[in-house]
Amino acid sequence: MAVGNHSAGDDLQSFLRALPKAELHLHLEGSVEPETVLELNPSLSLDAIRTNLHYTGFAGFLRAYVWLTQQLDSPQAYALATRRMLERLIPQNITYVEVTLSVGVVLWKKQNVEQIFEAIRRETLLFPQIEVAWIFDAIRQFGVEAASRVFEIAKDLRSGGVVGIGIGGDEERGPAAWFGPLYKKARDSGLRLHCHAGEVSGPESIWQALNVGAERIGHGIRAIDDPELLNELVRRDIPLEICPSSNVSTGAVSRLTEHPLRRIWDAGVPVVLGTDDPALFFTDLIHEYMLAGEIFGFSRDELKVLAANSLRYRFQARD
Ligand code: ADE
Ligand code: ZN
């Protein structure tokens, strides 16, 4: 209830801001706001940029994501994207972030990953308030050979803060099972294993992610259709990184009130909230926690557990 100019929503915002939190599901490329694209390319207009970023459906979303990624045409552009991303995370009291970099797309653009990563890393050193680690993502529909290059580069850049590998893109056109031997090799080289799964495809896709050794699942919301899978996630203590605004924007879920977040939580599955691609979904991490509180009925104690989970399930060991 509003008291004077001060509402319960303001109170919840302050409460959430004060919680130390990690962001574990965030794509650098999907964090590039239209204003940053304009900084990178002043010959574009904000209207034209927004038109390119407008989409419907999951396939349309992936095209918008690729367009955004194409705007990052140099190491300096990636560095600016990193700077603007960190500037948005710090005021939310996010103390640790694992950023996913679509290295599969960097290679597809024929850019030099090492130079880009060096520029990015230099930028992160300007922000000692936040600890930054990286997950190198392959694009599943580009196939096994392309993913193998991504994971090899990840291994070589471990000392620069790459903590894990994953696969993103279109799960219908690149089943996790293809990547089993590569995942094993990555794990043997000390990398942690991530996998987008069960975002638009059914539980079978999540089972495959588990079978190749994924330690955290990006989205995983279709687990709700398979009680045995829910039990397995609980038993193995595998968290789902749930990004409600993303799922509505991409059409993975028809509307927020249909989202299975609460039911997955009630089944006892570990949950971490994330934003995925905040510039494409008009969100930030505090907003996702606000939705949990206001739409999904998470109590303050439950919100505290969500925030604690985000730190608990990080890939990089704490100092
Ligand atoms: N890459 C960036 N965002 C993604 C998503 N939501 N699903 C699959 N791949 C992605
Ligand atoms: Zn994602």
Side-chain angles (χ1 to χ4, degrees), residues 110-166:
K110 304 202 182 310
Q111 289 171 313
N112 183 308
V113 180
E114 287 80 5
Q115 283 172 8
I116 285 173
F117 192 61
E118 182 51 32
I120 283 174
R121 233 174 61 79
R122 217 177 302 125
E123 204 61 38
T124 64
L125 300 178
L126 302 174
F127 296 88
Q129 313 92 309
I130 183 166
E131 204 183 340
V132 185
W134 297 89
I135 296 173
F136 276 14
D137 227 24
I139 307 296
R140 46 208 311 164
Q141 67 269 24
F142 290 179
V144 173
E145 189 60 39
S148 169
R149 290 182 61 204
V150 172
F151 298 174
E152 281 299 316
I153 297 170
K155 186 182 75 177
D156 293 343
L157 294 176
R158 272 188 67 209
S159 63
V162 179
V163 290
I165 55 87

Side-chain angles (χ1 to χ4, degrees), residues 129-296:
Q129 313 92 309
I130 183 166
E131 204 183 340
V132 185
W134 297 89
I135 296 173
F136 276 14
D137 227 24
I139 307 296
R140 46 208 311 164
Q141 67 269 24
F142 290 179
V144 173
E145 189 60 39
S148 169
R149 290 182 61 204
V150 172
F151 298 174
E152 281 299 316
I153 297 170
K155 186 182 75 177
D156 293 343
L157 294 176
R158 272 188 67 209
S159 63
V162 179
V163 290
I165 55 87
I167 48 175
D170 187 349
E171 52 183 322
E172 294 287 324
R173 292 194 293 137
W178 286 0
F179 304 92
L182 292 189
Y183 265 58
K184 182 176 181 323
K185 200 166 160 203
R187 182 178 42 210
D188 290 345
S189 70
L191 290 159
R192 308 291 300 272
L193 308 181
H194 185 269
C195 189
H196 283 73
E199 178 182 19
V200 290
S201 301
E204 165 60 19
S205 177
I206 305 170
W207 281 112
Q208 286 193 25
L210 294 182
N211 287 340
V212 299
E215 299 172 90
R216 290 200 320 248
I217 305 286
H219 303 287
I221 53 175
R222 297 290 16 121
I224 197 62
D225 302 329
D226 182 344
E228 202 185 317
L229 175 56
L230 290 172
N231 287 336
E232 187 69 2
L233 292 165
V234 176
R235 193 182 70 75
R236 291 211 217 168
D237 194 24
I238 303 276
L240 302 184
E241 300 157 2
I242 296 191
C243 313
S245 294
S246 161
N247 299 143
V248 174
S249 293
T250 62
V253 165
S254 59
R255 62 180 72 85
L256 218 41
T257 49
E258 301 288 317
H259 197 288
L261 167 59
R262 182 80 225 183
R263 286 174 288 147
I264 288 170
W265 171 269
D266 288 341
V269 176
V271 172
V272 175
L273 291 181
T275 57
D276 206 12
D277 302 290
L280 286 161
F281 307 140
F282 309 103
T283 190
D284 65 15
L285 192 57
I286 298 268
H287 182 67
E288 299 305 301
Y289 278 78
M290 287 292 287
L291 294 177
E294 292 186 331
I295 308 290
F296 297 97

Side-chain angles (χ1 to χ4, degrees), residues 28-29 32 40 68-84 101-103 105-107 109 111 115-117 119-120 123 134:
L28 173 65
E29 300 85 345
V32 180
L40 291 169
L68 201 42
T69 302
Q70 283 171 323
Q71 305 317 300
L72 302 176
D73 59 2
S74 64
Q76 295 73 23
Y78 275 91
L80 183 71
T82 304
R83 174 179 300 208
R84 297 289 174 252
L101 182 67
S102 288
V103 171
V105 182
V106 175
L107 293 173
K109 289 188 291 181
Q111 289 171 313
Q115 283 172 8
I116 285 173
F117 192 61
I120 283 174
E123 204 61 38
W134 297 89

